[in-house]
Amino acid sequence: MENYEALLTTIALMMGVSWASGINLYAVLLVLGWGGSTGHIDLPAELAVLEDPLVIGAAAVMYFIEFFIDKIPGMDSAWDSIQTFVRIPAGAMLAAGAVGDVTPALEIAAGILGGSLAATSHATKAGTRLLINTSPEPFTNWSASLTGDFLVFSGMWTALRHPEIFLILLVIFIGIAIWLLPKLWRLIKVLLAKIGRFLGLIKTDPVTSAELDTGIPVQSHHHLSALERLQQLRDQGVLTEQEFEQQKEKILNEGHH
């Protein structure tokens, strides 16, 4: 029974630190470092370095910086982009350290699982925040940021105190993420395409532009290719649904002349 509880605790700690690292790595380091140094958390020897005052101090400074940056529209998404190169590797390293002194193969497996879970939670957070930034309401950013902090602290507490409950909630989160991420990606592609078009980074095909924007009638054998190109532009998010319908109607009208 003791072995089962120890295994459950180790798995919950491994999955908890990697999941939370994808949302707010520095909050995780603070929880582990402060909890380990005060005796509230019994950390594996591989994570004992987190109890060092220098590590705790550095984590506190970075958490303070992220706390404010994460609430500024636009800056939060830029910060998330930079943190992609920090949260995911750190999540993998923390997961590997959480399993303790075991075989190298098990540590590598734990690192792979931890990195994947950190990437999932990071992508979910970053994608959601990017879409929230399109909202003109600034309090949405504050609410989302505070909710993320609350999830990290409460999730870590649950993983450490009630590992069974945490693992059940984690499975639910993974299911939601699998359902949500493809939808977020499609919306993000549309948003990025609009930004690219606004900045002039995305341009329409010159031939198609001439066919659509000038008053010169389109040749009959060009109608199909123009409509196909128009469909591609809509799918890529370069054209809105309204713009697509307007240009489609123009092509069809020209075809009847």
Side-chain angles (χ1 to χ4, degrees):
M1 185 65 179
E2 292 182 359
N3 291 336
Y4 169 77
E5 292 180 353
L7 177 62
L8 198 63
T9 300
T10 300
I11 294 175
L13 177 61
M14 178 190 73
M15 305 301 280
V17 295
S18 54
W19 165 79
S21 294
I23 302 174
N24 192 323
L25 169 64
Y26 308 113
V28 175
L29 296 178
L30 272 179
V31 169
L32 296 179
W34 178 82
S37 63
T38 56
H40 290 87
I41 302 175
D42 186 16
L43 293 177
E46 286 73 14
L47 296 181
V49 67
L50 301 179
E51 302 173 5
D52 190 288
L54 288 177
V55 177
I56 296 175
V61 171
M62 293 305 299
Y63 175 76
F64 179 81
I65 294 173
E66 179 163 324
F67 181 84
F68 290 100
I69 291 181
D70 200 45
K71 295 171 179 60
I72 303 175
M75 289 294 295
D76 57 346
S77 292
W79 180 260
D80 283 337
S81 299
I82 297 173
Q83 292 299 309
T84 300
F85 304 99
V86 180
R87 292 172 182 164
I88 298 175
M93 293 174 62
L94 289 175
V99 298
D101 187 13
V102 292
T103 63
L106 188 55
E107 289 186 9
I108 293 175
I112 293 173
L113 290 174
S116 300
L117 186 54
T120 301
S121 58
H122 170 71
T124 304
K125 175 193 176 181
T128 303
R129 295 303 297 275
L130 182 60
L131 294 177
I132 288 176
N133 283 332
T134 62
S135 170
E137 209 280 291
F139 293 102
T140 309
N141 292 79
W142 280 79
S143 300
S145 179
L146 292 174
T147 299
D149 291 346
F150 172 77
L151 285 175
V152 169
F153 287 115
S154 61
M156 288 298 298
W157 180 84
T158 305
L160 294 168
R161 300 300 180 186
H162 305 283
E164 304 95 336
I165 296 176
F166 172 78
L167 291 175
I168 293 173
L169 294 175
L170 181 63
V171 171
I172 295 174
F173 166 81
I174 293 174
I176 294 175
I178 292 174
W179 173 81
L180 184 62
L181 282 175
K183 295 175 174 58
L184 282 176
W185 176 241
R186 286 195 293 268
L187 293 174
I188 290 171
K189 284 200 300 183
V190 172
L191 178 61
L192 292 177
K194 289 182 179 294
I195 294 174
R197 185 174 57 169
F198 175 78
L199 297 176
L201 301 177
I202 298 179
K203 297 181 180 180
T204 58
D205 184 77
V207 176
T208 303
S209 298
E211 293 173 344
L212 297 178
D213 298 333
T214 66
I216 302 175
V218 183
Q219 294 291 336
S220 298
H221 63 277
H222 288 162
H223 291 161
L224 182 59
S225 61
L227 288 172
E228 290 177 348
R229 177 59 178 164
L230 196 65
Q231 178 71 37
Q232 292 176 359
L233 293 175
R234 185 185 67 172
D235 294 342
Q236 294 171 1
V238 177
L239 293 178
T240 64
E241 188 67 30
Q242 182 179 3
E243 292 170 337
F244 170 78
E245 293 297 335
Q246 291 174 349
Q247 300 291 3
K248 177 182 175 182
E249 184 178 355
K250 182 186 294 187
I251 293 175
L252 295 177
N253 289 338
E254 291 175 348
H256 291 129
H257 293 328

Short mmCIF file of all heavy atoms in Angstrom, two decimals, residues 11 28 45 55 59 62 74 100 125 135 154 176 191 204 209 228 242 253:
data_model
loop_
_atom_site.label_atom_id
_atom_site.label_comp_id
_atom_site.label_asym_id
_atom_site.label_seq_id
_atom_site.Cartn_x
_atom_site.Cartn_y
_atom_site.Cartn_z
N ILE A 11 4.01 10.16 -9.49
CA ILE A 11 3.39 10.44 -10.79
C ILE A 11 2.68 11.79 -10.78
O ILE A 11 2.79 12.58 -11.73
CB ILE A 11 2.40 9.31 -11.17
CG1 ILE A 11 3.16 8.01 -11.41
CG2 ILE A 11 1.60 9.69 -12.42
CD1 ILE A 11 2.27 6.82 -11.67
N VAL A 28 5.78 27.76 -10.33
CA VAL A 28 6.11 26.38 -9.96
C VAL A 28 7.42 26.33 -9.18
O VAL A 28 7.53 25.66 -8.14
CB VAL A 28 6.19 25.49 -11.21
CG1 VAL A 28 6.64 24.09 -10.85
CG2 VAL A 28 4.85 25.45 -11.92
N ALA A 45 15.89 14.22 -4.35
CA ALA A 45 17.24 14.79 -4.27
C ALA A 45 17.59 15.57 -5.53
O ALA A 45 18.31 16.58 -5.48
CB ALA A 45 18.26 13.68 -4.03
N VAL A 55 18.11 30.37 -6.08
CA VAL A 55 17.10 29.89 -7.03
C VAL A 55 15.74 30.47 -6.68
O VAL A 55 14.99 30.93 -7.55
CB VAL A 55 17.06 28.35 -7.05
CG1 VAL A 55 15.95 27.86 -7.98
CG2 VAL A 55 18.41 27.78 -7.47
N ALA A 59 13.61 32.99 -9.05
CA ALA A 59 12.24 32.63 -9.44
C ALA A 59 11.26 33.72 -9.00
O ALA A 59 10.31 34.04 -9.74
CB ALA A 59 11.86 31.29 -8.81
N MET A 62 11.54 36.71 -11.44
CA MET A 62 10.93 36.42 -12.74
C MET A 62 9.41 36.30 -12.62
O MET A 62 8.68 36.69 -13.53
CB MET A 62 11.51 35.12 -13.31
CG MET A 62 12.97 35.22 -13.69
SD MET A 62 13.31 36.59 -14.85
CE MET A 62 12.31 36.11 -16.25
N GLY A 74 -1.10 42.16 -25.73
CA GLY A 74 -0.04 42.17 -26.73
C GLY A 74 1.29 41.75 -26.13
O GLY A 74 1.97 40.88 -26.67
N GLY A 100 12.92 11.10 -9.27
CA GLY A 100 13.96 10.71 -8.33
C GLY A 100 15.08 9.92 -8.96
O GLY A 100 15.28 9.93 -10.18
N LYS A 125 -2.57 27.85 -23.23
CA LYS A 125 -2.56 29.18 -22.64
C LYS A 125 -2.23 30.24 -23.68
O LYS A 125 -2.93 31.26 -23.80
CB LYS A 125 -1.53 29.25 -21.51
CG LYS A 125 -1.40 30.67 -20.93
CD LYS A 125 -0.20 30.84 -20.03
CE LYS A 125 -0.09 32.29 -19.60
NZ LYS A 125 1.09 32.55 -18.74
N SER A 135 -9.92 41.10 -28.12
CA SER A 135 -11.05 41.73 -27.44
C SER A 135 -10.67 43.13 -26.99
O SER A 135 -9.56 43.34 -26.46
CB SER A 135 -11.47 40.89 -26.23
OG SER A 135 -12.41 41.60 -25.43
N SER A 154 -3.30 26.30 -7.17
CA SER A 154 -4.26 25.30 -6.70
C SER A 154 -3.94 23.93 -7.27
O SER A 154 -4.11 22.90 -6.59
CB SER A 154 -5.68 25.72 -7.07
OG SER A 154 -5.83 25.83 -8.48
N ILE A 176 -9.94 18.15 -22.81
CA ILE A 176 -10.38 19.47 -23.26
C ILE A 176 -9.36 20.08 -24.22
O ILE A 176 -9.71 20.68 -25.24
CB ILE A 176 -10.62 20.40 -22.06
CG1 ILE A 176 -11.80 19.89 -21.23
CG2 ILE A 176 -10.89 21.83 -22.52
CD1 ILE A 176 -12.03 20.67 -19.95
N LEU A 191 -6.33 34.93 -37.57
CA LEU A 191 -5.87 36.17 -36.95
C LEU A 191 -4.51 36.58 -37.46
O LEU A 191 -4.27 37.75 -37.80
CB LEU A 191 -5.84 36.00 -35.43
CG LEU A 191 -5.34 37.21 -34.62
CD1 LEU A 191 -6.24 38.42 -34.86
CD2 LEU A 191 -5.30 36.87 -33.14
N THR A 204 -1.99 39.12 -52.09
CA THR A 204 -2.75 38.25 -52.97
C THR A 204 -1.98 38.01 -54.25
O THR A 204 -1.05 38.76 -54.59
CB THR A 204 -4.12 38.86 -53.30
OG1 THR A 204 -3.91 40.14 -53.91
CG2 THR A 204 -4.95 39.02 -52.04
N SER A 209 -5.48 39.34 -58.31
CA SER A 209 -5.82 40.71 -57.94
C SER A 209 -6.31 41.48 -59.15
O SER A 209 -7.27 42.26 -59.07
CB SER A 209 -4.59 41.40 -57.33
OG SER A 209 -4.19 40.74 -56.16
N GLU A 228 -11.26 29.19 -57.46
CA GLU A 228 -10.44 28.32 -56.62
C GLU A 228 -9.46 29.13 -55.79
O GLU A 228 -9.24 28.87 -54.60
CB GLU A 228 -9.69 27.31 -57.49
CG GLU A 228 -10.60 26.25 -58.12
CD GLU A 228 -9.83 25.31 -59.02
OE1 GLU A 228 -8.65 25.63 -59.34
OE2 GLU A 228 -10.39 24.28 -59.43
N GLN A 242 -17.41 37.91 -45.76
CA GLN A 242 -18.12 38.95 -46.51
C GLN A 242 -17.35 39.34 -47.77
O GLN A 242 -17.93 39.48 -48.86
CB GLN A 242 -18.34 40.18 -45.63
CG GLN A 242 -19.13 41.29 -46.31
CD GLN A 242 -19.34 42.48 -45.38
OE1 GLN A 242 -18.86 42.50 -44.27
NE2 GLN A 242 -20.07 43.48 -45.86
N ASN A 253 -20.82 37.52 -61.90
CA ASN A 253 -21.50 38.54 -62.73
C ASN A 253 -20.72 38.81 -64.01
O ASN A 253 -21.30 38.98 -65.09
CB ASN A 253 -21.68 39.84 -61.95
CG ASN A 253 -22.74 39.71 -60.86
OD1 ASN A 253 -23.60 38.82 -60.92
ND2 ASN A 253 -22.65 40.56 -59.85
#
